[in-house]
Amino acid sequence: FRLSLKYSYTPSEKECDEFAIRSQQTWGHAKAAGVFDLEISPVEIKGRKGQTELVDADEHPRPDTTLEKISKLKPVFKKDGGVVTAANASGICDGAGTVVLATEEAVTEHGLTPLARVVSYHVTGCDPKIMGIGPVPAIRGALDRANVSMSDVDRFEINEAFAAQFLACAKELELDMEKTNLHGGAISLGHPLAASGSRILAHLANEFRRKDEGNIHVGSACIGGGQGIAVVLERA
């Protein structure tokens, strides 16, 4: 994974693998602490033998994997000097998510209790060759429209399409990792296309309900083809 033009930072495979382990382990700690209980709706399915099974947790994460194990994997795109492996890229999986967006009038009329308020959003384009950097201008644009500075943000979530992509965005934005992707991301959870955005927003919105601290959360993702999107949420 090579970023060019202005964004010339290319993390090493070791850095990518270390971030992958962080994603897996932080998910494991969050799952054990019940962090995802507010945002996951259990589903009953028929097992292979006809029995009913309750699915109430994501199946893709591997929190017990180790740096030693994943460092043995070979790059999947660029064999010589590549840094992307199956372990430090988002997994292909199925998923579904629902987000209800309502006007202030609808909230009042129907007696709803909002989780968060959408302050602003921003969609941007970039060179398709470096589509992974999309969250950088998208986040900057969304914050500018909201008249909010980076230091005002209490939580960031950037979709982990690839560790290299995430790390490049984090470096360019100078993100504080103590408030970024704290509970894992697509590397651990998987990346169900068209559902990852709602997962990120649902997580950030429910974090307002789960904790009393923090007032501004930002979610973002790169988009294949050369785009980036970001949303600024505020405690309701």
Side-chain angles (χ1 to χ4, degrees):
F1 196 95
R2 177 69 189 178
L3 300 177
S4 57
L5 302 179
K6 175 182 176 183
Y7 309 102
S8 59
Y9 170 65
T10 301
S12 67
E13 185 175 345
K14 183 174 184 294
E15 288 177 297
C16 292
D17 287 345
E18 288 173 344
F19 179 74
I21 292 298
R22 176 189 187 271
S23 182
Q24 297 286 359
Q25 292 181 346
T26 50
W27 177 89
H29 297 324
K31 176 64 174 64
V35 168
F36 304 112
D37 292 351
L38 291 174
E39 63 196 73
I40 290 184
S41 179
V43 177
E44 289 187 350
I45 64 170
K46 285 292 185 65
R48 293 182 179 179
K49 297 183 180 180
Q51 78 280 16
T52 299
E53 297 180 4
L54 183 68
V55 178
D56 59 359
D58 290 290
E59 299 176 317
H60 188 271
R62 299 183 178 183
D64 296 326
T65 193
T66 65
L67 185 61
E68 181 182 12
K69 288 181 180 179
I70 69 172
S71 63
K72 296 177 181 178
L73 297 177
K74 296 181 179 179
V76 293
F77 297 131
K78 185 179 179 182
K79 303 301 181 183
D80 183 17
V83 299
V84 177
T85 71
N88 64 39
S90 57
I92 300 173
C93 63
D94 294 326
T98 300
V99 173
V100 177
L101 185 64
T103 62
E104 291 187 17
E105 291 79 6
V107 168
T108 300
E109 179 182 350
H110 298 287
L112 305 177
T113 303
L115 295 176
R117 185 176 77 89
V118 177
V119 182
S120 71
Y121 63 91
H122 189 68
V123 179
T124 187
C126 62
D127 186 335
K129 294 179 181 178
I130 54 170
M131 65 88 188
I133 208 68
V136 172
I139 288 174
R140 287 172 175 163
L143 292 177
D144 185 61
R145 295 179 69 177
N147 195 27
V148 171
S149 67
M150 290 286 292
S151 61
D152 293 326
V153 180
D154 301 293
R155 285 283 302 279
F156 285 98
E157 288 282 331
I158 295 181
N159 192 48
E160 299 170 358
F162 303 93
Q165 164 264 330
F166 173 91
L167 290 171
C169 291
K171 182 177 179 62
E172 180 66 23
L173 290 168
E174 298 182 340
L175 293 180
D176 179 355
M177 294 304 293
E178 292 299 317
K179 57 183 182 181
T180 304
N181 289 32
L182 297 185
H183 304 135
I187 290 175
S188 50
L189 287 157
H191 182 11
L193 295 179
S196 288
S198 60
R199 182 201 70 76
I200 289 172
L201 289 185
H203 181 62
L204 289 175
N206 276 292
E207 282 293 273
F208 285 131
R209 183 162 57 144
R210 194 178 68 86
K211 301 179 70 175
D212 293 330
E213 58 192 54
N215 293 306
I216 300 292
H217 293 173
V218 174
S220 185
C222 62
I223 304 172
Q227 297 181 77
I229 189 169
V231 179
V232 178
L233 300 180
E234 180 180 61
R235 183 182 292 276

